[in-house]
Amino acid sequence: MFEAECPLMMTHLGWGKQIYKFSADRAHIENLAGNTMRWNERMYIRDLVGKTGETHTICGWIQFTRKSGKIRFLGIRDGSSIIQGVMVKGETEEAAFELFKDLRQECSVRITGVVQESKQSQYKIELLIKSVEILGKSDQYPITPKEHGIDYLLSNRHLWLRSKKQVALFQIRSRIIQAIRDFLFKHHFIQMDSPILTRSVGEDPAGLFGVDYFDMGTAYLAQTGQLYLEASIAAHANVFCFGPTFRAEKSKTRRHLTEFWMMEAEMAFFDNDDNMDFQEDLIRFVVEEVLNHCEWYLQQLERDPDVLRKILSPFKRYSYSEAIDFLKAKGSNIEWGEDLGAGEETLLTEDSTVPAFVYDYPKQVKAFYMKENEEDPRTVKCSDLLAPEGFGEIIGGSQREDSHDKLLARIKEEQLPVENYEWYLDLRKFGTVIHSGFGLGVERLVGWICGVPHVRETIPFPRLMERLTP
Ligand code: 4AD
Ligand code: MG
């Protein structure tokens, strides 16, 4: 809609833009200090496509500058893309040439130029610069093209986010989230937001963050929205939530954050086979969307799109028992009944080009709400989806216990306070149905798709055991 209306916008120019279009006089540029252009009059780089030969003004930040003989080059980032600006004697205003020395990395600018074709850029265009105005200076920007240590970069996360690879990563993250939502909405889901302050333990009683809650004692930061989604399915059948999730796990691994974003879905009348089929379709759709919309950003990350194209084939499925046999054959000394750690997950998927489900885990390593397998009551109807290339678990899901009495027995067995689960048990009293759901860790999914191994880079502001700032 926005792009389609661009030609019309040419007839609705604000006064600032009129001046830019018809005059490159420096005096006029000075007049443009302040926000003279309304948001819907401003041009974005992406909207310059198809406007070769036209003069336009963009606002953004200087990503790099370069000189080559009499020509000057600038990289300008405006959120919609990055474009190369070129200054040429005789074409570019003298004043702009003089300003070049002050155009430091990350200063903010307003630039007017003529759109030209170019081979290199994302949208195959560049800007022949006419005039430049510095809006905000940037001297001695702390992140330079040289190598910096990870601690330094994380301490400067508020600035590091502007770097080329980080920009690419978060453009892809946003597209991934959009694709997940598109897929769910297409399949008749609605979003039902779940609370962050809770009384009930969702996953692991040992991994809870507590906060003082008036005179009611301790409230916990949610580890999952699942139990609330289960309440919502009787109203809407298919629901999802997407929000921050908290785990006070003392894990310093490349896969653990203390605060991460989880997309959780819950579906009435789905058994765990439906659940796995649905997850597989979702992941394939997301990968396809990334391939269709983010090729340029994958390139910036040096992520080979052919690796992702292979994901479009059927996923592997191992029962937990098959996985144990497979691991033993590969030399692991894991025993039946133990949980799979990162090492085992890597062994299972390192030679695979597609993700793999492991289903029907032993009851003792999984959460209380999972439905027991009638054929083998030592196990529960659940599955973890493991990404290939050793990335490990990206989704955890299960069929839920739908019998009131069995669920109550499990809550007691796990020594959870029954009074906090009365409402959850009610769901099995009034119209209980077979139902399943899953939780997808967004940072792990983004990490795998982008080929970035550590989740501290795939969330804008990571919260780790030893990091709460910036
Ligand atoms: O396997 P988990 O613990 O499952 C649940 O929370 C279920 N209640 C979900 C559901 O069925 N509605 O977590 C789901 C996913 C994991 O597969 C992983 O991708 C991610 O959340 N995850 C983490 N990501 C980053 N840091 C952590 N500490 C994570 N813990 C889990
Ligand atoms: Mg899990």
Side-chain angles (χ1 to χ4, degrees), residues 128-412:
L128 173 61
I129 296 178
K130 292 288 172 192
S131 59
V132 173
E133 182 188 3
I134 295 180
L135 303 175
K137 286 201 282 190
S138 168
D139 288 329
Q140 295 181 329
Y141 187 69
I143 299 180
T144 57
K146 74 166 200 202
E147 286 277 312
H148 296 287
I150 186 67
D151 266 342
Y152 180 83
L153 289 171
L154 284 172
S155 297
N156 284 287
R157 185 58 162 169
H158 53 297
L159 303 175
W160 186 25
L161 287 176
R162 306 183 192 188
S163 299
K164 191 175 82 172
K165 284 195 172 174
Q166 298 299 315
V167 166
L169 200 49
F170 288 100
Q171 288 281 341
I172 297 175
R173 178 181 161 118
S174 177
R175 173 57 69 171
I176 287 173
I177 292 167
Q178 187 180 339
I180 296 170
R181 286 182 190 281
D182 286 350
F183 184 85
L184 294 172
F185 287 133
K186 199 169 78 185
H187 289 91
H188 311 302
F189 278 70
I190 75 157
Q191 180 165 341
M192 287 292 277
D193 302 310
S194 55
I196 286 180
L197 292 169
T198 67
R199 254 280 141 86
S200 31
V201 178
E203 291 297 313
D204 168 22
L208 289 167
F209 282 113
V211 290
D212 287 339
Y213 197 78
F214 305 108
D215 49 6
M216 289 180 70
T218 305
Y220 302 113
L221 299 184
Q223 293 176 324
T224 171
Q226 177 196 322
L227 309 197
Y228 301 95
L229 289 184
E230 285 187 63
S232 305
I233 56 163
H236 303 285
N238 298 336
V239 291
F240 74 95
C241 63
F242 176 50
T245 315
F246 304 87
R247 304 271 166 108
E249 288 165 296
K250 293 199 167 151
S251 306
K252 290 189 198 169
T253 75
R254 61 175 191 81
R255 315 192 305 167
H256 288 91
L257 293 160
T258 53
E259 178 184 293
F260 64 96
W261 285 70
M262 182 152 61
M263 183 75 77
E264 293 182 87
E266 196 70 26
M267 297 80 73
F269 312 111
F270 270 55
D271 65 13
N272 203 46
D273 287 327
D274 294 324
N275 199 16
M276 285 192 279
D277 291 348
F278 188 76
Q279 289 166 45
E280 181 168 334
D281 288 350
L282 167 68
I283 295 298
R284 280 158 55 177
F285 179 78
V286 169
V287 168
E288 214 174 327
E289 286 289 282
V290 170
L291 284 167
N292 287 342
H293 296 280
C294 303
E295 205 187 328
W296 167 262
Y297 294 117
L298 289 171
Q299 214 175 308
Q300 306 300 299
L301 292 166
E302 292 160 36
R303 179 65 161 153
D304 181 0
D306 283 340
V307 172
L308 296 178
R309 283 193 191 100
K310 297 199 178 104
I311 306 304
L312 306 177
S313 322
F315 294 2
K316 290 188 180 161
R317 294 186 191 194
Y318 303 101
S319 70
Y320 169 85
S321 298
E322 284 166 353
I324 296 298
D325 292 345
F326 179 95
L327 289 168
K328 282 187 164 165
K330 276 202 137 191
S332 160
N333 47 21
I334 190 165
E335 290 302 332
W336 199 100
E338 292 173 30
D339 202 0
L340 305 184
E344 285 81 27
E345 289 183 2
T346 302
L347 269 182
L348 274 168
T349 55
E350 64 188 354
D351 299 327
S352 176
T353 55
V354 291
F357 285 102
V358 178
Y359 60 90
D360 292 358
Y361 279 70
K363 195 185 283 173
Q364 71 259 28
V365 299
K366 289 292 179 188
F368 71 93
Y369 52 72
M370 296 187 182
K371 189 168 177 65
E372 186 183 280
N373 255 311
E374 270 164 24
E375 316 83 77
D376 182 358
R378 297 176 306 163
T379 65
V380 284
K381 290 178 184 287
C382 68
S383 51
D384 280 359
L385 180 61
L386 314 181
E389 303 168 79
F391 274 88
E393 178 191 339
I394 51 171
I395 297 184
S398 65
Q399 187 170 331
R400 322 305 191 185
E401 185 52 75
D402 46 63
S403 142
H404 176 275
D405 295 351
K406 282 190 172 167
L407 185 60
L408 179 60
R410 285 291 289 134
I411 289 171
K412 286 183 177 163

